[in-house]
């Protein structure tokens, strides 16, 4: 996705995110930890108006040349784009809006608050007598509400209203915690008004170390677009009667903020949820934990499904992948389920980061359709801070199409892209060398974001 | 109003290049709106550009001309000072200032010589120095010192994704340019050892490392009890030779 005019770019463009305009799927916006190429006052987004065939950067995100977290989502009609960021300068949680991300106008600040983490945006548009209303749900970890920190910032009319555009924050954690929840709070919205929220309840710190935590994976729901003063209380756990079903209980995680135990990457906070657009009863969930516990070395991805609106969940291991992270799920209009993830395959110098897309029609009862999108030596490039690949990436479905974005080594080697790739930046695939715009000067290998589209 | 100096122009812009307008009311960047002030410029010399911006002599760039300057027609030459607008196959920039092609050209070349120094490069160096000097004026203490100890501050409570991971570096000073520190004293300095996005670029002192340290009083009262000063910015560690510059500039 790095454009040709930035062929000399060597940043660690990790932690990508993506939004597709459902009304005009040729319009796509993506993000990463990419700095403004001129170190200006606004951070860039990647934009494409040809369904991802070509990309360019527009620096429209206020707060400095980069962001400290960013996710994006389009309303389902009207073309407005919403972003949740951690402001690069203040580190505040910001919610932003633009009517047209393809213009050069900076996004409008709607919410600005300190002491929060990892905003994750979903949006949809609902009919109302007064016209379309953009309903925006931003999962976030709100340290101002400790010890229950898993929260959703929501607005039911976000498209045009002045700041704060109806946004209000609701804590979705309903149990005791060790003092906070985990960073990821993910939302999945259905047009019928069903909103699922998944989060990681941090139950207790384990004796084996400060980074070892016992975690519950919790899903809660709202059936009316988040309306009312106590939204997200439609699911309660059959065992303790409290809001939110504990899909997985007492799972071991090792949360590593500044070390890289998986290749060069940190671990500890992987979570994804997706709802079937054809039937909001069907909801899919993925997370990672350490099956081996305190003495283990694994980081294991789990996928499960509910067909009764999140009340009960069957096999928690419909799909497991050892040493994988960044699970992201999407369900298309025909019920085809997509799972994208990044797996560390092999050990030592031979270890490789392998990014895969799997598609299943039967919950992995039979072998899924599977694509290796990217495979690259895990030692290259040497990391420049963390996260190395990102704490998340994203897969979306619009209609029958799947759209995704991941980050990985940009070494121009055909073997690294078994499903094919097109570079915009200058590269010589014969010598596996990146080149500046002069097509002569070599450029160091770095982490780039890559766009993927799959048509079933 | 007198014309702005090259340094003034560069202070407002990230990019400087000479070029010739090839086409008016045109763009090389798809989806970019075009008006009377949108021109395509053939690049001559690239006088100043960030590392990530891959502008090459002979390439074309779309320039949105400043509303405050006369429009340009095809064939006209100038030195453009600009900031980024859009980055695709080609680059689009917004002009913030302009001089004649000669004003910012390499002076040696005008004399028929080959030399790398240009007025723009000189101005860029001055601006970089200005930033350090300004930052030094805001510092609470400036010491020439060597790292003699490093210690982690034990953390309590659950881990945090954006934990700065505070450490303390003990600096043994041999010269104090500013601040309430005696030369020869050891001073405890707080720094964020995390590689996270927020603090990645702050100095991470290493054992034995020497230099000129620009110190700031520790803002957090609890942390201030452990270290009175902290490192907050990539500019907080300078080569010792910068001390001469700071003296000359009255810091």
């Amino acid at each position: 996705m790095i454009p040709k005019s930035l062929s000399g770019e060597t940043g660690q463009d990790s932690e990508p995110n993506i939004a597709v305009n459902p009304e005009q799927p040729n319009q796509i916006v993506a993000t990463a930890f990419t700095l403004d190429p001129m170190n200006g006052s606004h951070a860039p987004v990647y934009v494409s108006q040809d369904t991802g065939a070509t990309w360019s950067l527009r620096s429209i995100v206020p707060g400095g040349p980069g962001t400290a977290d960013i996710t994006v989502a389009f309303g389902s009609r009207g073309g407005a784009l919403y972003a949740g960021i951690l402001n690069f300068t203040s580190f505040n949680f910001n919610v932003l809006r633009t009517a047209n991300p393809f213009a050069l106008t900076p996004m409008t600040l709607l919410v600005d608050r300190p002491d929060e983490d990892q905003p994750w945006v979903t949006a949809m548009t609902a009919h109302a007598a007064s016209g379309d209303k953009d309903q925006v749900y931003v999962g976030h970890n709100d340290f101002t509400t400790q010890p229950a920190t898993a929260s959703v910032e929501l607005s039911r009319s976000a498209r045009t209203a002045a700041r704060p555009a109806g946004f209000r924050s609701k804590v979705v954690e309903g149990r005791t915690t060790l003092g906070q929840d985990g960073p990821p709070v993910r939302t999945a919205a259905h047009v019928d008004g069903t909103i699922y929220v998944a989060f990681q309840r941090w139950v207790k710190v384990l004796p084996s170390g400060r980074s070892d935590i016992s975690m519950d994976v919790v899903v809660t729901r709202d059936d009316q677009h988040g309306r009312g003063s106590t939204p997200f209380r439609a699911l309660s756990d059959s065992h303790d009667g409290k809001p939110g079903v504990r899909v997985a209980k007492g799972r071991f995680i090792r949360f590593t903020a500044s070390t890289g135990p998986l290749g060069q990457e940190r671990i500890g906070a992987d979570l994804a949820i997706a709802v079937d657009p054809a039937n909001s009863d069907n909801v899919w969930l993925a997370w990672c934990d350490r099956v081996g516990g305190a003495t283990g070395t694994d980081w294991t991805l789990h996928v499960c499904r509910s067909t009764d609106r999140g009340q009960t969940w069957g096999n928690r291991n419909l799909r497991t992948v050892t040493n994988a992270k960044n699970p992201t799920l999407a369900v298309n209009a025909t019920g085809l389920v997509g799972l994208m993830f990044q797996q560390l395959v092999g050990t030592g110098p031979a270890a490789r980061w392998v990014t895969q897309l799997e598609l299943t029609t039967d919950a992995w009862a039979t072998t899924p359709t599977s694509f290796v999108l990217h495979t690259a030596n895990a030692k290259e490039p040497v990391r420049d801070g963390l996260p190395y690949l990102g704490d998340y990436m994203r897969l979306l479905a619009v209609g029958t199409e799947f759209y995704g974005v991941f980050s990985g080594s940009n070494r121009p080697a055909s073997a690294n892209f078994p499903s094919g790739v097109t570079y915009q930046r200058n590269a010589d695939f014969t010598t596996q060398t990146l080149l500046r715009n002069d097509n002569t000067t070599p450029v160091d290998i770095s982490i780039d974001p890559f766009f993927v589209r799959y048509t079933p | 109003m007198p014309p702005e100096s090259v340094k003034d122009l560069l202070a407002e812009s990230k990019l400087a290049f000479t070029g010739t307008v090839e086409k008016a009311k045109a763009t090389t960047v798809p989806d970019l709106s075009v008006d009377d002030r949108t021109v395509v410029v053939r690049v001559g010399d690239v006088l100043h550009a960030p590392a990530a911006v891959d502008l090459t002599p002979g390439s074309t760039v779309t320039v949105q001309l400043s509303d405050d300057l006369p429009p340009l027609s095809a064939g006209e030459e100038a030195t453009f000072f600009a900031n980024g607008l859009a980055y695709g196959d080609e680059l689009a920039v917004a002009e913030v200032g302009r001089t004649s092609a000669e004003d910012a050209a390499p002076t040696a070349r005008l004399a028929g010589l080959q030399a790398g120094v240009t007025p723009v490069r000189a101005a860029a160096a001055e601006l970089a120095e200005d930033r350090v000097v300004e930052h030094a004026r805001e510092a609470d203490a400036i010491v020439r010192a060597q790292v003699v100890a490093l210690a982690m501050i034990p953390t309590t409570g659950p881990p945090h994704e954006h934990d700065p991971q505070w450490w303390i570096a003990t600096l043994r000073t041999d010269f104090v340019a500013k601040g309430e520190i005696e030369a020869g004293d050891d001073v405890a300095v707080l720094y964020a050892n995390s590689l996270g996005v927020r603090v990645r670029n702050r100095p991470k002192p290493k054992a034995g490392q020497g230099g000129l340290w620009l110190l700031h009083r520790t803002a957090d009262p609890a942390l201030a009890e452990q270290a009175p000063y902290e490192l907050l910015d990539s500019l907080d560690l300078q080569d010792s030779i910068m001390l001469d510059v700071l003296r000359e500039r009255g810091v």
Side-chain angles (χ1 to χ4, degrees):
Chain A
M1 291 168 63
I2 296 292
K4 183 173 182 292
S5 66
L6 298 177
S7 288
E9 198 266 357
T10 57
Q12 186 168 293
D13 304 302
S14 60
E15 200 158 290
N17 208 258
I18 188 169
V20 179
N21 184 352
E23 266 190 329
Q24 298 184 62
N26 61 307
Q27 297 187 341
I28 307 175
V29 174
T31 60
F33 282 143
T34 302
L35 295 172
D36 178 71
M38 296 201 193
N39 197 33
S41 58
H42 290 74
V45 297
Y46 295 78
V47 299
S48 173
Q49 298 196 73
D50 54 11
T51 325
T54 62
W55 293 85
S56 62
L57 267 67
R58 306 275 197 274
S59 289
I60 62 170
V61 181
T67 59
D69 264 346
I70 181 168
T71 62
V72 284
F74 276 103
S76 39
R77 288 189 299 278
L81 180 86
Y82 301 89
I85 71 167
L86 293 185
N87 186 294
F88 198 71
T89 305
S90 67
F91 215 61
N92 281 2
F93 165 68
N94 290 171
V95 178
L96 309 168
R97 174 185 69 200
T98 177
N100 179 9
F102 304 95
L104 300 166
T105 312
M107 298 184 81
T108 301
L109 179 65
L110 302 178
V111 176
D112 181 25
R113 239 184 3 247
D115 212 11
E116 309 217 15
D117 192 18
Q118 208 171 112
W120 182 271
V121 184
T122 54
M124 54 170 291
T125 306
H127 284 297
S130 55
D132 279 352
K133 301 283 189 188
D134 279 356
Q135 315 212 333
V136 180
Y137 308 92
V138 189
H140 60 114
N141 203 24
D142 186 349
F143 290 101
T144 67
T145 62
Q146 284 182 298
T149 56
S151 304
V152 174
E153 185 89 17
L154 71 153
S155 169
R156 298 188 52 247
S157 184
R159 190 186 295 179
T160 56
R163 176 180 174 178
F167 277 99
R168 60 198 173 108
S169 187
K170 290 292 175 186
V171 174
V172 294
E173 174 63 87
R175 296 179 177 83
T176 59
T177 71
L178 56 74
Q180 66 170 83
D181 293 295
V185 181
R186 305 288 187 252
T187 52
H190 191 280
V191 290
D192 69 2
T194 303
I195 314 297
Y196 290 101
V197 184
F199 61 93
Q200 296 183 340
R201 175 192 175 216
W202 280 6
V203 182
K204 60 181 178 184
V205 176
L206 296 168
S208 50
R210 177 177 168 263
S211 298
D212 292 352
I213 290 165
S214 176
M215 165 196 78
D216 294 344
V217 180
V218 182
V219 172
T220 189
R221 194 186 78 224
D222 192 275
D223 293 332
Q224 296 185 312
H225 301 277
R227 195 174 288 142
S229 59
T230 55
F232 309 113
R233 291 289 186 267
L235 274 179
S236 58
D237 193 287
S238 58
H239 293 285
D240 68 1
K242 293 185 175 173
V245 168
R246 292 169 294 174
V247 181
K249 289 193 279 189
R251 299 300 179 115
F252 180 96
I253 60 168
R254 179 157 292 166
F255 186 86
T256 64
S258 198
T259 59
L262 195 61
Q264 300 184 70
E265 183 60 295
R266 65 186 181 186
I267 56 172
D270 296 278
L271 185 64
I273 191 166
V275 61
D276 182 347
N279 182 351
S280 65
D281 291 358
N282 300 328
V283 57
W284 297 79
L285 183 69
W287 74 90
C288 296
D289 58 36
R290 177 161 285 178
V291 173
T295 58
T297 59
D298 67 289
W299 190 240
T300 301
L301 186 159
H302 308 260
V303 180
C304 63
R305 172 183 62 166
S306 169
T307 57
D308 61 1
R309 305 183 66 72
Q311 192 61 57
T312 62
W313 299 75
N315 179 2
R316 273 33 170 201
N317 296 315
L318 286 174
R319 177 76 172 106
T320 59
V321 186
T322 302
N323 291 340
K325 65 167 294 177
N326 290 344
T328 174
L329 290 160
V331 187
N332 81 353
T334 67
L336 182 64
V337 176
L339 168 68
M340 194 162 72
F341 58 92
Q342 298 184 292
Q343 183 181 20
L344 187 71
V345 177
T347 57
R352 300 182 75 80
W353 276 112
V354 181
T355 304
Q356 299 169 68
L357 173 64
E358 292 185 354
L359 300 125
T360 179
T361 57
D362 58 7
W364 284 273
T366 59
T367 304
T369 303
S370 185
F371 300 93
V372 174
L373 304 172
H374 184 227
T375 167
N377 188 293
K379 289 189 178 304
E380 183 192 65
V382 173
R383 75 178 177 200
D384 176 21
L386 285 165
Y388 180 66
L389 300 177
D391 293 333
Y392 50 74
M393 57 185 189
R394 199 165 192 172
L395 181 70
L396 297 171
V398 175
T400 58
E401 301 275 317
F402 289 89
Y403 305 83
V405 64
F406 66 89
S407 289
S409 164
N410 61 12
R411 173 171 288 282
S414 296
N416 285 10
F417 299 91
S419 302
V421 70
T422 302
Y423 272 38
Q424 297 189 108
R425 63 188 302 165
N426 285 347
D428 184 335
F429 277 72
T430 303
T431 60
Q432 299 187 10
T433 308
L434 299 172
L435 298 168
R436 291 187 70 94
N437 246 346
D438 61 10
N439 245 332
T440 301
T441 309
V443 175
D444 289 344
I445 301 299
S446 62
I447 298 292
D448 277 358
F450 294 90
F451 168 74
V452 58
R453 182 165 72 104
Y454 175 70
T455 305
Chain B
M1 184 190 300
E4 290 185 275
S5 70
V6 167
K7 185 178 174 183
D8 290 339
L9 290 170
L10 202 60
E12 299 170 19
S13 58
K14 306 288 185 182
L15 189 63
F17 58 95
T18 65
T20 305
V21 175
E22 203 160 83
K23 198 170 183 182
K25 297 182 188 176
T27 179
T28 55
V29 177
D31 308 322
L32 200 70
S33 59
V34 173
D35 61 26
D36 290 348
R37 290 184 168 271
T38 313
V39 299
V40 174
V41 173
R42 179 73 62 182
V43 175
D45 290 319
V46 180
L47 304 172
H48 181 71
V53 176
D54 217 357
L55 196 61
T56 52
S59 64
T60 54
V61 58
T62 297
V63 180
Q64 187 66 31
L65 299 174
S66 168
D67 289 339
D68 299 328
L69 296 169
L72 294 173
S73 305
E76 291 194 81
E77 297 181 8
T79 297
F80 298 91
F81 294 82
N83 287 321
L85 272 181
Y87 310 83
D89 267 5
E90 302 221 15
L91 182 65
V93 299
E95 183 188 42
V96 297
R98 188 189 308 162
T99 67
S100 71
E102 292 78 19
D103 282 352
T107 48
R109 185 184 299 173
L110 293 175
L113 303 170
Q114 288 297 323
V117 177
T118 70
V120 170
R121 190 169 294 178
E126 280 183 42
L127 286 167
E129 191 176 286
D130 287 353
R131 277 192 287 275
V132 176
V133 169
E134 188 58 34
H135 193 69
R137 291 191 203 286
E138 295 169 355
D140 295 303
I142 301 173
V143 299
R144 190 174 64 198
Q146 189 172 22
V147 177
V148 294
L150 297 169
M152 182 177 70
I153 297 180
T155 45
T156 56
H160 190 296
E161 182 183 349
H162 299 286
D163 183 354
Q165 301 194 351
W166 295 116
W167 281 57
I168 292 175
T170 302
L171 304 183
R172 181 152 299 163
T173 63
D174 66 32
F175 184 83
V176 177
K178 181 181 180 182
E180 299 162 358
I181 300 169
E182 294 291 326
D185 282 358
D186 287 354
V187 58
V189 177
L190 190 72
Y191 68 96
N193 202 39
S194 166
L195 299 174
V197 171
R198 184 183 187 186
V199 295
R200 179 182 300 175
N201 293 327
R202 295 187 189 180
K204 320 285 186 202
K206 302 289 183 287
Q209 186 175 23
L212 190 67
W213 304 83
L214 280 54
L215 308 178
H216 311 270
R217 288 209 177 280
T218 302
D220 184 301
L223 291 170
E225 288 181 8
Q226 304 195 56
Y229 295 99
E230 62 182 329
L231 301 171
L232 295 174
D233 193 287
S234 59
L235 295 178
D236 285 342
L237 175 58
Q238 298 290 327
D239 288 339
S240 294
I241 198 169
M242 184 57 74
L243 188 56
D244 294 337
V245 175
L246 297 184
R247 282 170 168 160
E248 286 172 13
R249 302 281 295 268
V251 177

